[in-house]
Amino acid sequence: MFKPKYYLNPETLRFEKVSLPFWKRIFNTSAGFIFLVIVAAGLRIGFDHYADSPKVTLLLNQNKNLKSSYQYLNDQINRSEKLLAEVQKRDDHFYRAILDVSPIPRSIRDAGMGGSENINDLLLNRSADFVLTTANQLEKLASRVKIQSLSLEELSEIAYHKQKMIAGKPSIQPIAPADSFWLTSTYGVRSDPFTRGRRMHPGIDLAGRIGLKIYATGDGVVTEASVSRHGYGKEIIINHGYGYTSRYAHLHKIMVEPGDKVKRGQHIGLLGSTGRSTGPHLHYEVLYYGKPLNPMYFYYEDLKPDEFSEIVAQASAN
Ligand SMILES: [Zn+2]
């Protein structure tokens, strides 16, 4: 505690004890105490500031790691965005061009990229800027990926139908080019061989020996395989889908049944002379929604015998 203070009394010439009033002594004691408290608090603040406690050091390290993790995430997002941009470019300028579909407008591609208020509301005041940035980037990326995935889904659907339509469309001749046959009647108005009157001939006649192999000209499903009531004799009708059907008439033998799925180049019957026929020939028709079209427009006459054989081989492999 405080040491007693002395002073020289000029009258007595002796050192005498200084006696302070009680309130002054209390004040001196309190001032000392307050001073000590201030010094201690100062030291504590200084210590906290310059020398981190183990807990603070741990948190700081964790924060540093977190920041670098976010940086890594951002890099990954940037890389994914670049890849996605490439896919979008290919989608618009290649896939859509091939399938004859217009590119997706920019406005749709960027849909949902404007505001990310949801994220902001959720994270505001609780997260650092770098967390918000990453969250925003991720949201934009997810929205663009979703649109891209819908686009690819649509294109795959279109491609499937195009492929099916191409496979179905009657596009080869019904008799192998290597076989001996000749065109005896073309499509259009002609004089009827029976009545001699002018009459529409809705297909082509290909003459050849009885028993010549007849092939399906496109993929499809057999809808008729019976004797016609309209003079076509033994006939096969194949539905190729997308409005196309084909008819093979005056057959000697039918080798498929209604409901059979057939492939282009599949052997379906034999050439004959059944029904209203003047000699062994195939009457071949192509119809679009029931309306006859010129079958000559539907096959490549320059298809070489070995190419035709290849199609036949593929059909029988199926
Ligand atoms: Zn005919």
Side-chain angles (χ1 to χ4, degrees), residues 2 4 18 24 56 63 67 98 150 162 169 173 192 209 277 284:
F2 295 99
V18 178
K24 215 168 180 179
V56 169
N63 202 24
K67 269 188 181 169
I98 282 181
L150 287 175
K162 285 236 172 180
K169 203 168 170 184
Q173 52 194 51
D192 188 284
R209 64 171 175 82
S277 169
Y284 174 60

Side-chain angles (χ1 to χ4, degrees), residues 35-67:
F35 175 73
L36 275 179
V37 167
I38 287 171
V39 167
L43 279 174
R44 178 64 212 247
I45 289 167
F47 183 78
D48 280 356
H49 205 264
Y50 293 105
D52 298 328
S53 71
K55 202 176 162 190
V56 169
T57 311
L58 185 72
L59 284 175
L60 281 175
N61 278 338
Q62 279 180 345
N63 202 24
K64 212 168 125 191
N65 288 341
L66 207 60
K67 269 188 181 169

